[in-house]
Amino acid sequence: NHTFFYAAYEKYMQADWRTSPNGATVPTLKMLDGDFSELLGADVGGTHCSTPPCPILANSLDPTSGYQDPAGNPIYYGSIFLPNGQVAPGNIIPAGQWSASGISQKIIGIYKQYYKPVGPKVTGNFPWINSNDPKFQQIQFSIKVDHNISNNDHAHASYIYNHRPKTEIEHPESPWIPNSQSGGPFTPNSSQELHTNAYRIGETHTFTPNILNVLNFTFNQFQNVQESVAQSGPWASTLGLNGASYPDKGTSFPQIVYNGGPNGVGEAQIGSTWPQGDVVYHGILNEALSWSKGRHNFKFGSEIRALGYNQNSAPPGAYAFTFDGGTFAPDNAAIKPNVGFAFANMGLGYVQSASQGVPFDQYGRRKELAFFAQDDYKVTNKLTLNLDLRWDITMPQRELHGA
C-alpha cells in the first residue's frame, strides 16, 4: 500500500425567480407617447393643493403669486419644460419634438415591447424580482494523491476546483419581466462566474532520524467574470450607435441613468457597462529543513512568492448616458426640484452627460522572498527559548506591459 487516492465532489443549487407585481416603476403608456399630463395629477403634482394642477407659488400665502415661464404660462408641480424654456402645453410634448431623436424612439420602442406597465399608477406599475441572488450554484471537486516512494520519501499532490455561478441583483429597483431569468434587455444586473483552482505538490524526505526536509509548491488562481444577465446584441446597429465605435457584439444594453423627477418620481436605471473581470493568482515555493541535535531543534527555510493581478475593464466604446429632469427648467431653487422629468428629456434626445468606456486593463506582477532560521533551545526541563530570525524581501510591483 504505497499509493492512496482521495476524491470528493459536491454541488449546491438554489433558484428563486419570483417577482412582486408592483415593485418597479416604468413609464406609463401615455408617457411613452410624450404625454406627461399624469405628472400634474393627484398622484404626483396634486399633493400640493386640493385641486390639481397645483401652481408653484412664490408666496405660499398668496395664491396669485404663481411662477410663470417666459411666455406667461403658469408653472405647476410636475410641469415639463421644452428646449425653448417654456412649459409644454398640457404637459404634452409636441409630436414633432417627441419623435425627433431616432435613438430615443428606438429605446421607447423597446419599452413598449417588453416593459408596458401592468397597473394604472405612475409609480409601482411593473414587477421586480424578489431575491438579491435569484440563481446561486456552488460546485466543488477535490482530489488528493499520497505516495510513499520509500521509507524515507513521501510525496503528495492535490487539486481543488470551485465554480460558483450566480445571478446578482445590484439594482433591485429595476424592472424584471416575470417568468424570465434575464429580466429583459434593459436589466442592469449581472451574471457572475467565479472559478477557483488550487494546486498543491510536495515531498518530504528524511535524511537521518534527526534531519527532515519538506519541499512544497502551491499555485492558486481566482477568476471573476461579470457580464450582463441580458447580454445580447447587436445594440450598436439596433440603436444607431455604430458611428461611435460602440462594440456590436458581446455587450449589454448601454447604461442609461435617469436623475430627477417631481416629488421623487423617476424611472429606474436601465442597461449597464458590463462585462468586466479579473484574475488573481499566486505561486509559492517553500522549503524547510529541520535538524534536532541535543537540546536544540533547528529549522532553516526559504520561500519564493510570485503574485499577479489581471483586470479587464469595461469593453472599449461602452456607453453610459445620464438624463436629468431639470435640463430645461428655470434655475430657481423653488422651481427646479419640483418640475421636469428625466425620461421626458431622454425622449427629446437631450443628454445631461455621457461617457464612453476606454480600456484600462492592468497586469500587475510582484515577487517576494523570505528566509528564516529558528532554534528552539531547551535550557531546562521547564524552560525553552524560541529564537527566530526572518528576512522578508518585497520586490516593487510592476506592470507586465510596462505601462
Side-chain angles (χ1 to χ4, degrees), residues 34-37 40 69 73-74 76 79-82 84 86-94 97:
D35 183 348
F36 295 89
S37 57
L40 303 177
D69 69 10
N73 301 308
Y76 299 107
S79 287
I80 295 296
F81 282 82
L82 299 175
N84 62 5
Q86 297 180 15
V87 173
N91 243 25
I92 301 173
I93 297 175
Q97 296 186 53

Side-chain angles (χ1 to χ4, degrees), residues 26-41 80 90-93 98 105 108 112 115-117 119-122 125 267 341 343-344:
V26 296
T28 66
L29 294 177
K30 287 185 176 181
M31 293 178 183
L32 292 173
D33 289 328
D35 183 348
F36 295 89
S37 57
E38 292 160 308
L39 296 180
L40 303 177
I80 295 296
N91 243 25
I92 301 173
I93 297 175
W98 184 246
Q105 286 303 306
I108 291 170
K112 291 181 176 180
Y115 297 96
K116 287 182 179 179
K121 298 177 62 178
V122 175
N125 55 13
E267 307 301 333
F341 200 54
F343 176 79

Side-chain angles (χ1 to χ4, degrees), residues 256-299:
I256 296 178
V257 177
Y258 300 109
N259 287 334
N263 286 4
V265 177
E267 307 301 333
Q269 172 186 321
I270 62 175
S272 67
T273 57
W274 306 115
Q276 62 185 30
D278 53 64
V279 178
V280 180
Y281 73 85
H282 65 270
I284 303 173
L285 176 65
N286 53 42
E287 186 172 17
L289 178 70
S290 300
W291 175 32
S292 298
K293 182 175 178 61
R295 293 176 177 269
H296 296 271
N297 284 318
F298 299 104
K299 196 171 186 178

Side-chain angles (χ1 to χ4, degrees), residues 45-279:
T47 60
H48 299 275
C49 68
S50 58
T51 307
C54 303
I56 300 177
L57 303 177
N59 182 351
S60 60
L61 301 178
D62 182 4
T64 64
S65 66
Y67 286 102
Q68 297 180 340
D69 69 10
N73 301 308
I75 299 176
Y76 299 107
Y77 286 93
S79 287
I80 295 296
F81 282 82
L82 299 175
N84 62 5
Q86 297 180 15
V87 173
N91 243 25
I92 301 173
I93 297 175
Q97 296 186 53
W98 184 246
S99 61
S101 171
I103 294 176
S104 295
Q105 286 303 306
K106 290 173 182 176
I107 295 172
I108 291 170
I110 298 173
Y111 270 109
K112 291 181 176 180
Q113 181 178 358
Y114 295 100
Y115 297 96
K116 287 182 179 179
V118 295
K121 298 177 62 178
V122 175
T123 60
N125 55 13
F126 200 84
W128 65 6
I129 197 156
N130 292 340
S131 174
N132 287 331
D133 296 311
K135 173 188 173 182
F136 179 86
Q137 296 182 15
Q138 180 153 306
I139 303 165
Q140 182 167 300
F141 170 74
S142 61
I143 185 170
K144 183 180 180 182
V145 180
D146 281 324
H147 179 63
N148 294 318
I149 302 172
S150 67
N151 290 334
N152 295 328
D153 278 299
H154 172 78
H156 65 88
S158 65
Y159 170 68
I160 300 174
Y161 171 73
N162 190 292
H163 179 210
R164 195 183 73 184
K166 71 173 182 175
T167 299
E168 191 168 10
I169 307 300
E170 292 91 355
H171 297 273
E173 76 284 356
S174 61
W176 191 278
I177 298 175
N179 304 316
S180 164
Q181 295 188 13
S182 69
F186 281 168
T187 180
N189 303 301
S190 70
S191 172
Q192 184 182 45
E193 293 275 346
L194 298 179
H195 297 268
T196 303
N197 294 280
Y199 305 85
R200 307 282 190 276
I201 186 169
E203 190 261 350
T204 302
H205 182 75
T206 304
F207 289 97
T208 67
N210 60 337
I211 299 178
L212 177 71
N213 189 77
V214 178
L215 177 67
N216 286 302
F217 175 73
T218 302
F219 182 81
N220 297 320
Q221 182 190 55
F222 174 85
Q223 182 181 29
N224 172 33
V225 177
Q226 284 186 282
E227 60 184 17
S228 171
V229 177
Q231 182 167 341
S232 60
W235 290 118
S237 55
T238 300
L239 299 178
L241 294 169
N242 306 66
S245 302
Y246 189 84
D248 211 18
K249 295 181 179 179
T251 58
S252 59
F253 193 89
Q255 178 179 291
I256 296 178
V257 177
Y258 300 109
N259 287 334
N263 286 4
V265 177
E267 307 301 333
Q269 172 186 321
I270 62 175
S272 67
T273 57
W274 306 115
Q276 62 185 30
D278 53 64
V279 178

